[in-house]
Amino acid sequence: MFVIEKLILARKLRGKSKKDLADSLNIAQKTLSEWETGKAVPKYENIQQVAEFLKFPIEFFYTDEDFKMQVENISFRALSRLSASDRDKAIANLNIASLINKWVDKHFNLPQIQLPNMAGYGPVEAAKIIRQEWNLEECINNTIHILEQHGVRVYSLIEICNDYDALSKWFDEVPFIVLKPTKTSERSRFDAMHELGHLVLHRNKANRDKSIEDEANQFASEMLMPEESIKKHIPDIPSLANFIQYKKLWKVSLQAIMYRYNKLGLISDWVYRSLYLQSKKWGYDKKEPEPIEKETSTVFKSIFKFLKEDNKTLQNISNEISIPEEDLNRLMFSPYSVSLIKGDITGEKRTIELL
């Protein structure tokens, strides 16, 4: 049976308006609207044309009959800068990630979800509680690893738009975060903890309120740069050299460290402003000094290791869930570069252990 929601999802994923798709199919926009509202059912040859134009296997539009595209309670970074088209594209990618996750859960046992509901707590208090419950060290060495270790499904979104940062949502009691790995690793780490803040603090809220964004920022700052740790490292004479050294400890951006010290009252507004202008002069607002290594998914690294052992590839996943390899690769941190081999995924569920 033709799945209306899959047509809407594929169209928005490709950033196409109803007019774009209707014109490409040489049909009236009204006809396409009737398809998407269920008032009319497209012929098989129409769906063939849709699949070809949107670069999807035709099977995609006839699977998961109960699929409904979810658009509510999604937290965005930099929502105000997103166009409506790019917002729809981001939401579509998040929904594609949920479909990929169904396949992952079918074939692999992932770590259990261990995200406490911190609604009603202040962001700093919530971060301190989670750091203690998760037994975190002074520095979180790999934010993606920590998230996956506690059950968060983390995906990447390499190409969408320049203004996109990150987004998160609970799908049927499963927490998802989608990151933009083309940003600096320092900023991506902060985005990861920012979105974790939304997941634990604002589970049923859409972050259209500046105060909610501020709470997520405070949460991320305490997670990555704990106040207790910061106060152990107070320079006698604050300088850029000091703060660049501190980057190696907390693995965040130079700007984030200086801002944190200022917010905690450890450097004055005047000193902060002076250091900020000096950092801009050196171009550090655009290019991080002593950049840190990019983070990636441990879960997907393990999955592709298992596939390689079984002589399987990305195309096997594509065949099973009818999502193009390019979209899978993009959302799974682009680990795949070897030649594709056709086949089916078989065998027992593997357990992915994240130590």
Side-chain angles (χ1 to χ4, degrees), residues 86-138:
D86 283 333
R87 178 180 175 276
D88 285 346
K89 193 185 297 184
I91 291 173
N93 273 279
L94 180 58
N95 278 267
I96 289 288
S98 74
L99 293 174
I100 297 172
N101 189 68
K102 287 183 179 180
W103 178 89
V104 173
D105 280 344
K106 178 181 177 182
H107 294 284
F108 299 92
N109 295 311
L110 299 185
Q112 291 185 343
I113 297 168
Q114 303 174 58
L115 263 62
N117 185 349
M118 305 305 295
Y121 286 84
V124 174
E125 182 183 9
K128 288 180 178 179
I129 291 172
I130 290 177
R131 285 188 62 87
Q132 184 174 17
E133 288 189 2
W134 289 2
N135 195 28
L136 298 180
E137 298 179 354
E138 187 174 17

Side-chain angles (χ1 to χ4, degrees), residues 2-17 21 32 36 47 49-62 67 69 85 88-89 91-93 95-96 99 322-324 327 330:
F2 170 65
V3 182
I4 297 169
E5 294 280 333
K6 287 292 193 73
L7 171 58
I8 299 171
L9 174 59
R11 176 175 64 76
K12 291 188 175 182
L13 186 75
R14 300 299 183 227
K16 303 299 181 182
S17 66
L21 183 54
L32 180 60
E36 292 193 357
I47 300 303
Q49 291 178 296
V50 169
E52 182 178 354
F53 179 71
L54 297 178
K55 296 181 172 58
F56 265 86
I58 194 168
E59 293 80 8
F60 176 77
F61 301 96
Y62 291 93
F67 173 78
M69 187 168 170
S85 174
D88 285 346
K89 193 185 297 184
I91 291 173
N93 273 279
N95 278 267
I96 289 288
L99 293 174
S322 301
I323 294 175
D327 295 297
R330 179 164 43 83

